Amino acid sequence: MSVNAKLWFHAASTTVNKLPEPFVHRNVANLVLHNDFSCLSVLQYAIEVLGIEHVIVCGHYGCGGVTAAWEQRSLGLVDNWLQPIRDIAHLYREPLFRLPATNSASTACAS
């Protein structure tokens, strides 16, 4: 792998599947959390072992995880994973409602 290679963090969605580099970490709603040791291990390995200099966290419109969190839908076990998004949605609900978008969840996905 070249020193200038990139590490991509992507949602687990199959709608985001064409990437320019082979080193990718995917998860539901594209979260990078301080207590996710899988994600942190990927990050540490990419930087310290592979010498990757650019880390890209790439979201997408219509993310099902973000939409479920925004709409406060219960999805079962994945609700635990989505809780940080729900917390942020609750904390910033009023500013998100004021955005000039037809779908606040889509706007949050693009932020």
Side-chain angles (χ1 to χ4, degrees):
M1 195 148 294
S2 74
V3 174
N4 291 323
K6 296 168 183 69
L7 167 62
W8 287 75
F9 283 90
H10 266 283
S13 172
T14 58
T15 62
V16 184
N17 59 10
K18 295 194 186 311
L19 303 173
E21 300 290 341
F23 202 63
V24 177
H25 178 76
R26 292 179 185 250
N27 64 40
V28 173
N30 196 30
L31 293 176
V32 178
L33 302 173
H34 74 282
N35 59 354
D36 177 2
F37 291 108
S38 175
C39 175
L40 296 176
S41 296
V42 168
L43 187 59
Q44 182 267 331
Y45 183 79
I47 293 169
E48 293 181 10
V49 177
L50 299 178
I52 288 181
E53 296 177 357
H54 303 282
V55 176
I56 300 164
V57 180
C58 183
H60 64 97
Y61 286 100
C63 176
V66 173
T67 300
W70 177 257
E71 295 174 352
Q72 300 178 13
R73 290 193 328 236
S74 178
L75 299 175
L77 184 61
V78 75
D79 290 341
N80 295 298
W81 180 254
L82 297 176
Q83 191 58 49
I85 299 173
R86 287 189 170 95
D87 293 344
I88 290 170
H90 177 74
L91 185 64
Y92 293 100
R93 197 158 199 79
E94 291 305 316
L96 286 170
F97 272 131
R98 289 194 298 268
L99 290 173
T102 57
N103 185 337
S104 297
S106 288
T107 301
C109 291
S111 299

